C-alpha cells in the first residue's frame, strides 16, 4: 500500500485560541484552517473545482461531539459554507471519540487506495471552550460506556486513565516512586517540546519537572487516582487539515509546484483495532498478557507488518498522551521497550527530543492541546512536517519515517499510521 | 546564554513586582530576594507570586526582606536587580544610588518604568553599571501578558543587550520587543495616543453618545478585546494622565496635540473617580438590592452617569458578522465602504493607528516588527502591519489614510504591493485579535 497514498501537507490552527471568546464558531475555524492549508500546500479552490468536475476530490471531517459542544451536526456538508468551490464535493463527518481524526484519515486513505479520488481533504475539528470544564467532562464521558463509567462521575477520563496507571504499577510490580517520576518526566518532555511549537496551547505555560513531581494541593490537584493536573492533556479549540493524494496526482502536484516526487511522503502502513469498551473489560481481558493494552500493541504490529517496517526503522513518534499513563503504555506498544520496562526508556532519555526514539516532538496532546476530533489529523500533519524536514524549531534531525498512535476512549479505538519517504 | 541564578526584586508586594518575581522564580528557576518596605509586605508578595504562576515549588526559593535591612546584602549577591518601586524619579533615584553602591560589576539592573527616561535613571551608576542598566517593561499580569519591552539607552553594550534579550526570551518566555529610550517607549506611546484621541472624540460627539459611542465604534471588530476608553478606565485615569502628560511634555511629533489630557478626564481625577479601581470613572457598575448589576457611563455634558446605552449601527453589525465567520477582508471592505459619521470615525482611527505605529519606526524602534509585537502582545490589539494586509495591502491602506487626512508613513509608501506586510504571523496570529 505504500505506493498508493501520499500526503501533501496541511495546516493547523493555533491551539491557544479560544474561539468563543473571539466571538467565532466552528465554521469560522473550518474556514481559516482550510484556507491556510490550501495556501500552504499550494492548491487553489479553482483546482478543487476542476477535480470536482470529474468527481475526484472528497472531504472527510473528523469530529467527536459538535452536537453537544456547538449544537451542530452534519459537519461533512458544512464545508460548503467555507467556500462555494466545495459545492458538490462529497463530504461526511467521521466519529470515533478522540480517534475521530484518524477514522476520517482512514476513510480518506481507503478511498484513495481504491482510486475513487485523486485528492482527499481531511479536516479534524473540535470547538470545546463553549462550555465549562465540568460540563465538557460530562460530554467526553460519552466516549466511555456512559451509563457504567461516566454517569454522575466528575471528569471520568482522568479517572479511567488513573486506573490504567494503577494497573501498570501493580501488574509490573514497579516501585511507585520510580513510576510516578517517570510519568512526571513524560509531562516535562511534552511541555518542553511544546515550547518550540508556535501552535501549541501550552507554549507560554509554566511547567518543569519539579512542578510535575509536586502532585496534590491547589496548584496541581489530583483528578484521577494517582493522576494530577500535570498528568493530563487539556481540551482546547482547534482544527487541523491534511491533504492526501493518489500517486498520479502527487506526481502531477510535484511537477506543478517544483517539488521532487520522491520528497513527498506516503502512508506506509496502518492499523485499526477496537478493544472492549469498558476499562474493566480491558483489564480482565489483558490478565496474563505481557501488554496491559494488547489491542493497542496489536494495532502497532499490524501497521509495522503492512509497512514491512519495525521499531528500528521509525525515527519519530506522535502518540496519544491524553494522560501520562497512556503515553507510558504506548512506549512498549511501539516496541521501544519491553512491557514493564518503559520507565527505563524514559529515564535514559530515549524518548526525549534529542533521544534515539523521540516521542511527541510537537508537544503531544499534553503540550499542543487536545481538541478531540482534530488530534489525529494534527498528529498526521506533525508526522508530515517531521519526515519532510519542515518542523522548524521542533524538527527531529534526519527523520525519515514517523508513526502515530491515536486512541479513542480508554484505549478502545486504536489507530496507527506510518508515514515516510 | 547569560546565567541568572539570583535576582533581587524591589517592590515585591505590588502586582507587577510579585507577578514578575513569580515568572523569574518559576521559568528562570532563580533564587529571588523579595524586598518591600517591610518583611510582612514582602511575604504577601511571595504568596501573590505563587498564586500568579500557580506553583508551590517556587516558595522555597523566595526570600522576604526589607529595603532597610536587606537591600545591600541582596543586591551584592544578585546577578539581576529588578526594581519595580513607584513610578517617579523621586522614589527611584535614591534607591538606585543604594543599588549602585552595593552592586557587583556585571550585575544587570533594570526598572519596570513605563515612561521614565532610562538614560536618566542610569546616571546613578558608574560606567559598568550604566552598561548593565535597562528598562524591562513587563505588562500586567506578567504571567499572562508575555510582552517585555527591553529599553536600551546610549550607555548600553550590545553584547549585554543581546544576552539579556536571549534570557528574557528563551528562559523567561517573554515576547521581547527592543525599544529606544523615548517617552513611554513603543506600546504605551501608540496605545495611549489612540486612547487619548478617542477620548477627545468622545467629548466632540458627547451629544451623540460620547464615551459609549466611541467605544462601540472602536470595539472588537477593529481588532481589540476591549474598547479604548474601557481600557483607560481599567488602567486608571490617573495612570492614563501620567502617561499622556509625559508624552505631551517630551515629544513633538505629528500627533502631539492628541496627547493633551481632555478636560473631563482631569475633572474625574480631581473628584477621585479614577476608573474601575476606585468604583467608577468613565463608567461605573451599580449593584442593585436584587443582586442585579447595572452599568452606567459618564455623561461629559452633564457630569452625571447615564445608563449604558446599546447601539444599532448597521455597518458595525455587518462587519462583526463577517469577523464571526472569519472573513476578515470582507469585514474590512464593509468598514472601507460604509457611510455615515460613525464609519468616518472608524476609518479615521484605523488610519491613525496604522500611521502612527509605522511612523515611530526609526525613532522609537528599529523595525516595524517591534511596534507590531508591542501592540499584539502588550495590548492584544491587531498589529498595524497586519491591519495593512486585512485592508487589502499598502495601496488600499494609503487610500484610506489620505481620505482621513492622516499622514502616510514612508515605510508604507515604500512597501511592495502583493507581498505580505505583516511578518510576525508565525508568532502571533493577528486574526485571533479581531472580535466578532
Amino acid at each position: 500500500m505504500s505506493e498508493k497514498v501520499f500526503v501533501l501537507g496541511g495546516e493547523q490552527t493555533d491551539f491557544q485560541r479560544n474561539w468563543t471568546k473571539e466571538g467565532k464558531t466552528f465554521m469560522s475555524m473550518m474556514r481559516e484552517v482550510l484556507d491556510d492549508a490550501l495556501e500552504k500546500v499550494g492548491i487553489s479552490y479553482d483546482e478543487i473545482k476542476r477535480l470536482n468536475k470529474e468527481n475526484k476530490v472528497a472531504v472527510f471531517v473528523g469530529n467527536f461531539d459538535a452536537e453537544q459542544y456547538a449544537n451542530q451536526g452534519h459537519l461533512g456538508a458544512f464545508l460548503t459554507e467555507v467556500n462555494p468551490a466545495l459545492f458538490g464535493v462529497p463530504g461526511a463527518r467521521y466519529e470515533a471519540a478522540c480517534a475521530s481524526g484518524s477514522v476520517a484519515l482512514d476513510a480518506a486513505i481507503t478511498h484513495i487506495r481504491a482510486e475513487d479520488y485523486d485528492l482527499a481533504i481531511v479536516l479534524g475539528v473540535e470547538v470545546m471552550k463553549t462550555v465549562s470544564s465540568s460540563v465538557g467532562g460530562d460530554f467526553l464521558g460519552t466516549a466511555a460506556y456512559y451509563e457504567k463509567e461516566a454517569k454522575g462521575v466528575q471528569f471520568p477520563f482522568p479517572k479511567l486513565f488513573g486506573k490504567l496507571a494503577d494497573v501498570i504499577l501493580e501488574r509490573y510490580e514497579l516501585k511507585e516512586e520510580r513510576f510516578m517520576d517517570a510519568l512526571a518526566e513524560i509531562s516535562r518532555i511534552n511541555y518542553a517540546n511544546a515550547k518550540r511549537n508556535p501552535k501549541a496551547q501550552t507554549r507560554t505555560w509554566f511547567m518543569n519537572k519539579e512542578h510535575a513531581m509536586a502532585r496534590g494541593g491547589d496548584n496541581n490537584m489530583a483528578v484521577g487516582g494517582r493522576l494530577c493536573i500535570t498528568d493530563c492533556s487539556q481540551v482546547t479549540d482547534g482544527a487541523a487539515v491534511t491533504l492526501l493524494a493518489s500517486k498520479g496526482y502527487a506526481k502531477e502536484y510535484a511537477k506543478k509546484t517544483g517539488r521532487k516526487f520522491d520528497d513527498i511522503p506516503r502512508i506506509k502502513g496502518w492499523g485499526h483495532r477496537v478493544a472492549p469498551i469498558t476499562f474493566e473489560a480491558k483489564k480482565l481481558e489483558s490478565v496474563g498478557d505481557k501488554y496491559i493494552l494488547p489491542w493497542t500493541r496489536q494495532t502497532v504490529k499490524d501497521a509495522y507488518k503492512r509497512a514491512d517496517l519495525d521499531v528500528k526503522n521509525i525515527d519519530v513518534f506522535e502518540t496519544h498522551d491524553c494522560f501520562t499513563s497512556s503515553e507510558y503504555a504506548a512506549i512498549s506498544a511501539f516496541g521501544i521497550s519491553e512491557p514493564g520496562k518503559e520507565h527505563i526508556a524514559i529515564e535514559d532519555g530515549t524518548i526525549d527530543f534529542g533521544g534515539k526514539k523521540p516521542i511527541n516532538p510537537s508537544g503531544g496532546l499534553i503540550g499542543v492541546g487536545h481538541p478531540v476530533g482534530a488530534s489525529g489529523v494534527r498528529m498526521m500533519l506533525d508526522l508530515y512536517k517531521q519526515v519532510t524536514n519542515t518542523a522548524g524549531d521542533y524538527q527531529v534531525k534526519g527523520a525519515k519515517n514517523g508513526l502515530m498512535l491515536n486512541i479513542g476512549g480508554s484505549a478502545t479505538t486504536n489507530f496507527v499510521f506510518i508515514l515516510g519517504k | 546564554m547569560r546565567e541568572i541564578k539570583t535576582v533581587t526584586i524591589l517592590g515585591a508586594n505590588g502586582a507587577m513586582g510579585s507577578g514578575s518575581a513569580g515568572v523569574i522564580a518559576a521559568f528562570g528557576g532563580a533564587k529571588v530576594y523579595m524586598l518591600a518596605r517591610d518583611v510582612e509586605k514582602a511575604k504577601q508578595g511571595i504568596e501573590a507570586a505563587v498564586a500568579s504562576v500557580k506553583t508551590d515549588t517556587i516558595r522555597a526559593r523566595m526570600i522576604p526582606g526589607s529595603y532597610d535591612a536587606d537591600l545591600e546584602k541582596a543586591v551584592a549577591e544578585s546577578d539581576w536587580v529588578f526594581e519595580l518601586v513607584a513610578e517617579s524619579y523621586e522614589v527611584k533615584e535614591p534607591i538606585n544610588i543604594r543599588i549602585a553602591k552595593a552592586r557587583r560589576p556585571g550585575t544587570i539592573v533594570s526598572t519596570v518604568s513605563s515612561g521614565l527616561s532610562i538614560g536618566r535613571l542610569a546616571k546613578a551608576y558608574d560606567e559598568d553599571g550604566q552598561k548593565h542598566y535597562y528598562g524591562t517593561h513587563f505588562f500586567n499580569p506578567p504571567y499572562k501578558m508575555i510582552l517585555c519591552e527591553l529599553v536600551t539607552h546610549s550607555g548600553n553594550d550590545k553584547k549585554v543587550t543581546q544576552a539579556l534579550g536571549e534570557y528574557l526570551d528563551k528562559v523567561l518566555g517573554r515576547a521581547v520587543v527592543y525599544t529606544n529610550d523615548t517617552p513611554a517607549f513603543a506600546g504605551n506611546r501608540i496605545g495611549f495616543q489612540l486612547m487619548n484621541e478617542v477620548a477627545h472624540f468622545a467629548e466632540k460627539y458627547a451629544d451623540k453618545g460620547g464615551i459609549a459611542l466611541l467605544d462601540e465604534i472602536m470595539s472588537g471588530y477593529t481588532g481589540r478585546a476591549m474598547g479604548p476608553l474601557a481600557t483607560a478606565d481599567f488602567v486608571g485615569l490617573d495612570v492614563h494622565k501620567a502617561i499622556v502628560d509625559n508624552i505631551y511634555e517630551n515629544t513633538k511629533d505629528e500627533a502631539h496635540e492628541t496627547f493633551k489630557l481632555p478636560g473631563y478626564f482631569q475633572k474625574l481625577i480631581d473628584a477621585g473617580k479614577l476608573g474601575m479601581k476606585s468604583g467608577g470613572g468613565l463608567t461605573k457598575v451599580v449593584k442593585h438590592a436584587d443582586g442585579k448589576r447595572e452599568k452606567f457611563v459618564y455623561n461629559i455634558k452633564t457630569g452625571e452617569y447615564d445608563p449604558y446605552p446599546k447601539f444599532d449601527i448597521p455597518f458595525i453589525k455587518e462587519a462583526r458578522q463577517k469577523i464571526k465567520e472569519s472573513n476578515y477582508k470582507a469585514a474590512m471592505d464593509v468598514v472601507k465602504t460604509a457611510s455615515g459619521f460613525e464609519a468616518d470615525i472608524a476609518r479615521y482611527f484605523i488610519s491613525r493607528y496604522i500611521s502612527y505605529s509605522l511612523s515611530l519606526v526609526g525613532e522609537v524602534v528599529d523595525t516595524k516588527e517591534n511596534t507590531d509585537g508591542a501592540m499584539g502582545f502588550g495590548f492584544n490589539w491587531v498589529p498595524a502591519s497586519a491591519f495593512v494586509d486585512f485592508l487589502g495591502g499598502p495601496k488600499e491602506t494609503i487610500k484610506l489614510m489620505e481620505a482621513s487626512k492622516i499622514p502616510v508613513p514612508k515605510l508604507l509608501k515604500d512597501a511592495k504591493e502583493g507581498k505580505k506586510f505583516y511578518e510576525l504571523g508565525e508568532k502571533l496570529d493577528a486574526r485571533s485579535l479581531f472580535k466578532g
Side-chain angles (χ1 to χ4, degrees):
Chain A
M1 72 163 289
S2 67
E3 285 299 312
K4 292 262 189 184
V5 185
F6 292 74
V7 178
L8 307 183
E11 189 52 289
Q12 69 165 95
T13 59
D14 177 352
F15 283 7
Q16 213 170 53
R17 290 174 69 176
N18 179 324
W19 293 67
T20 306
K21 268 195 185 161
E22 290 177 29
K24 295 164 200 164
T25 66
F26 72 92
M27 200 285 284
S28 31
M29 184 188 278
M30 282 174 152
R31 171 170 284 146
E32 285 192 26
V33 77
L34 189 57
D35 285 355
D36 287 356
L38 292 176
E39 190 189 328
K40 192 135 200 177
V41 174
I43 289 178
S44 65
Y45 281 111
D46 281 344
E47 173 68 354
I48 306 280
K49 274 190 199 165
R50 185 189 73 79
L51 287 167
N52 187 38
K53 269 189 194 159
E54 294 162 25
N55 201 200
K56 283 294 183 188
V57 58
V59 166
F60 302 82
V61 177
N63 171 265
F64 166 54
D65 203 4
E67 283 84 354
Q68 296 203 85
Y69 283 107
N71 206 25
Q72 183 65 56
H74 208 174
L75 297 193
F78 234 87
L79 283 175
T80 55
E81 277 290 300
V82 166
N83 195 294
L86 292 154
F87 290 2
V89 172
R93 177 261 197 96
Y94 296 81
E95 191 275 318
C98 301
S100 294
S102 282
V103 72
L105 281 166
D106 183 63
I109 289 166
T110 305
H111 274 292
I112 296 218
R113 215 169 58 226
E115 297 175 5
D116 294 332
Y117 305 120
D118 284 344
L119 183 70
I121 299 168
V122 187
L123 191 157
V125 61
E126 206 79 54
V127 176
M128 311 184 81
K129 295 290 194 180
T130 49
V131 296
S132 69
S133 55
S134 58
V135 171
D138 191 55
F139 292 170
L140 289 169
T142 60
Y145 191 152
Y146 186 81
E147 185 73 22
K148 291 183 180 174
E149 296 179 301
K151 196 176 176 184
V153 179
Q154 204 191 12
F155 304 119
F157 269 95
K159 292 180 175 69
L160 291 169
F161 280 92
K163 283 181 188 169
L164 174 62
D166 294 345
V167 178
I168 294 170
L169 193 58
E170 287 155 21
R171 196 78 61 85
Y172 297 135
E173 294 174 355
L174 299 170
K175 276 195 179 152
E176 185 172 1
E177 202 178 312
R178 197 170 176 191
F179 174 61
M180 295 310 284
D181 184 273
L183 294 188
E185 180 66 2
I186 286 174
S187 182
R188 181 202 65 78
I189 293 170
N190 282 301
Y191 276 95
N193 289 352
K195 291 262 182 285
R196 299 181 204 95
N197 182 346
K199 301 277 168 81
Q201 178 190 28
T202 69
R203 63 187 187 268
T204 59
W205 298 11
F206 167 67
M207 170 64 64
N208 64 9
K209 181 77 176 284
E210 194 187 359
H211 182 62
M213 290 292 288
R215 294 186 175 91
D218 287 346
N219 291 321
N220 193 8
M221 278 185 300
V223 283
R226 290 181 164 79
L227 301 188
C228 293
I229 298 279
T230 51
D231 292 297
C232 308
S233 63
Q234 299 199 31
V235 298
T236 187
D237 295 339
V241 164
T242 56
L243 297 176
L244 309 183
S246 63
K247 186 175 183 179
Y249 191 82
K251 275 191 168 170
E252 230 177 83
Y253 166 82
K255 213 171 159 188
K256 265 192 209 164
T257 55
R259 290 166 168 86
K260 276 190 195 157
F261 171 67
D262 287 344
D263 288 343
I264 298 176
R266 61 209 70 183
I267 306 281
K268 290 186 169 178
W270 59 277
H272 176 198
R273 296 281 187 166
V274 173
I277 191 160
T278 67
F279 186 75
E280 199 54 33
K282 284 184 191 82
K283 184 177 149 184
L284 289 174
E285 197 217 5
S286 72
V287 173
D289 199 299
K290 281 200 299 182
Y291 295 88
I292 291 163
L293 301 173
W295 291 113
T296 307
R297 169 63 179 162
Q298 187 58 49
T299 316
V300 175
K301 278 171 71 179
D302 293 344
Y304 281 147
K305 193 176 172 195
R306 285 186 174 107
D308 196 19
L309 295 174
D310 203 345
V311 63
K312 64 178 186 298
N313 309 107
I314 307 294
D315 308 301
V316 59
F317 296 81
E318 280 291 324
T319 199
H320 196 92
D321 54 326
C322 47
F323 299 91
T324 49
S325 55
S326 58
E327 179 165 335
Y328 189 95
I331 294 168
S332 55
F334 294 149
I336 292 174
S337 79
E338 281 297 308
K341 307 274 187 212
E342 293 88 345
H343 55 285
I344 296 168
I346 299 166
E347 289 162 1
D348 68 11
T350 298
I351 67 161
D352 209 343
F353 184 64
K356 282 181 191 153
K357 297 288 172 190
I359 297 181
N360 292 344
S362 64
L365 308 185
I366 288 175
V368 186
H370 186 25
V372 171
S375 285
V377 186
R378 194 276 305 157
M379 285 179 183
M380 179 59 83
L381 178 63
D382 269 314
L383 289 189
Y384 169 85
K385 289 179 187 172
Q386 291 294 343
V387 302
T388 56
N389 198 25
T390 54
D393 288 347
Y394 62 101
Q395 179 67 49
V396 170
K397 269 187 196 160
K400 286 196 175 85
N401 291 311
L403 178 149
M404 62 173 271
L405 164 66
N406 182 202
I407 61 180
S410 52
T412 308
T413 294
N414 297 274
F415 264 108
V416 170
F417 296 106
I418 296 172
L419 185 74
K421 287 193 282 192
Chain B
M1 188 97 53
R2 197 178 182 92
E3 230 187 329
I4 293 187
K5 288 183 178 164
T6 306
V7 177
T8 294
I9 298 279
L10 304 167
N13 56 320
M16 287 301 292
S18 59
S20 307
V23 167
I24 293 162
F27 288 86
K31 174 169 123 184
V32 183
Y33 283 105
M34 297 285 281
L35 303 189
R37 263 168 296 171
D38 60 64
V39 177
E40 277 316 303
K41 282 199 162 57
K43 283 180 183 167
Q44 287 164 16
I46 291 174
E47 290 314 306
V50 169
S52 77
V53 284
K54 297 184 177 69
T55 179
D56 299 288
T57 60
I58 61 171
R59 194 179 279 112
R61 52 177 175 270
M62 302 185 98
I63 303 140
S66 72
Y67 302 140
D68 287 347
D70 305 293
L71 189 143
E72 278 72 18
K73 179 185 171 283
V75 168
E77 262 189 52
S78 292
D79 305 300
W80 176 18
V81 178
F82 190 8
E83 172 271 299
L84 303 100
V85 300
E87 179 81 12
S88 80
Y89 291 115
E90 290 70 32
V91 180
K92 286 189 191 284
E93 281 176 340
I95 226 159
N96 273 327
I97 291 168
R98 284 182 66 189
I99 299 168
K101 277 188 191 154
R103 170 188 169 277
R104 285 180 315 200
T107 290
I108 286 168
V109 184
S110 72
T111 179
V112 82
S113 162
S114 56
L116 303 182
S117 161
I118 302 305
R120 177 172 161 181
L121 292 170
K123 293 222 163 72
Y125 295 84
D126 61 13
E127 199 188 326
D128 181 79
Q130 293 193 21
K131 202 158 95 177
H132 291 85
Y133 191 83
Y134 291 90
T136 44
H137 186 203
F138 282 34
F139 283 64
N140 195 18
Y143 179 42
K144 287 198 173 150
M145 302 299 285
I146 59 166
L147 178 66
C148 171
E149 285 184 308
L150 179 51
V151 188
T152 56
H153 62 96
S154 56
N156 287 130
D157 178 326
K158 277 189 179 156
K159 276 187 190 157
V160 180
T161 306
Q162 194 191 345
L164 178 59
E166 264 179 31
Y167 169 78
L168 291 163
D169 171 8
K170 305 272 183 237
V171 180
L172 299 192
R174 306 284 95 187
V176 181
V177 157
Y178 295 84
T179 84
N180 298 324
D181 186 18
T182 53
F185 319 124
N188 283 349
R189 176 110 166 238
I190 297 164
F192 281 82
Q193 189 289 319
L194 185 91
M195 285 151 64
N196 205 56
E197 196 175 3
V198 167
H200 282 291
F201 270 56
E203 194 167 18
K204 189 172 163 190
Y205 292 96
D207 287 337
K208 293 188 166 170
I211 291 165
L213 175 72
L214 262 293
D215 255 9
E216 177 79 1
I217 295 172
M218 296 308 293
S219 58
Y221 78 99
T222 65
R224 48 184 54 78
M226 202 189 259
L229 296 175
T231 308
D233 223 27
F234 179 74
V235 300
L237 303 188
D238 52 339
V239 175
H240 180 100
K241 175 186 159 65
I243 292 170
V244 294
D245 282 356
N246 175 35
I247 302 172
Y248 185 73
E249 281 158 29
N250 295 298
T251 64
K252 280 265 185 267
D253 60 27
E254 68 198 39
H256 184 244
E257 285 308 307
T258 67
F259 285 105
K260 247 189 201 166
L261 188 77
Y264 70 96
F265 264 52
Q266 189 62 56
K267 234 163 121 180
L268 285 164
I269 292 167
D270 293 342
K273 293 172 180 170
L274 303 178
M276 284 162 66
K277 63 185 175 189
S278 70
L282 299 176
T283 60
K284 68 173 179 184
V285 176
V286 173
K287 205 174 165 188
H288 295 297
D290 61 359
K292 279 190 184 159
R293 298 161 83 87
E294 195 182 357
K295 194 175 174 186
F296 291 85
V297 60
Y298 182 72
N299 185 323
I300 301 167
K301 286 257 161 182
T302 64
E304 303 292 320
Y305 283 89
D306 300 336
Y308 204 94
K310 276 194 174 146
F311 296 93
D312 187 13
I313 303 168
F315 90 90
I316 293 180
K317 231 167 144 179
E318 206 187 327
R320 278 195 189 130
Q321 183 57 34
K322 300 284 182 205
I323 284 166
K324 193 176 174 182
E325 294 165 1
S326 289
N327 209 341
Y328 305 95
K329 282 192 176 167
M332 288 307 113
D333 283 342
V334 170
V335 176
K336 282 196 290 190
T337 54
S339 55
F341 82 100
E342 296 99 338
D344 289 339
I345 292 174
R347 286 189 287 264
Y348 175 84
F349 279 114
I350 290 169
S351 303
R352 168 67 95 185
Y353 168 61
I354 300 169
S355 165
Y356 195 58
S357 296
L358 298 177
S359 76
L360 297 182
V361 178
E363 178 205 338
V364 176
V365 292
D366 292 339
T367 66
K368 67 182 169 63
E369 282 59 58
N370 285 302
T371 46
D372 285 343
M375 299 322 292
F377 291 113
F379 277 71
N380 284 340
W381 289 4
V382 169
S385 302
F387 237 123
V388 172
D389 290 337
F390 291 120
L391 286 167
K395 265 190 192 166
E396 285 287 301
T397 310
I398 290 171
K399 257 203 257 173
L400 208 69
M401 283 176 182
E402 286 172 345
S404 294
K405 299 191 172 60
I406 292 284
V408 178
K410 187 173 181 301
L411 207 61
L412 199 60
K413 277 184 202 157
D414 295 347
K416 277 187 188 153
E417 205 60 39
K419 203 183 154 221
K420 270 191 184 156
F421 193 63
Y422 180 55
E423 292 175 73
L424 286 181
E426 275 299 304
K427 283 187 179 165
L428 177 65
D429 186 345
R431 296 173 297 191
S432 67
L433 302 169
F434 279 106
K435 228 177 156 191

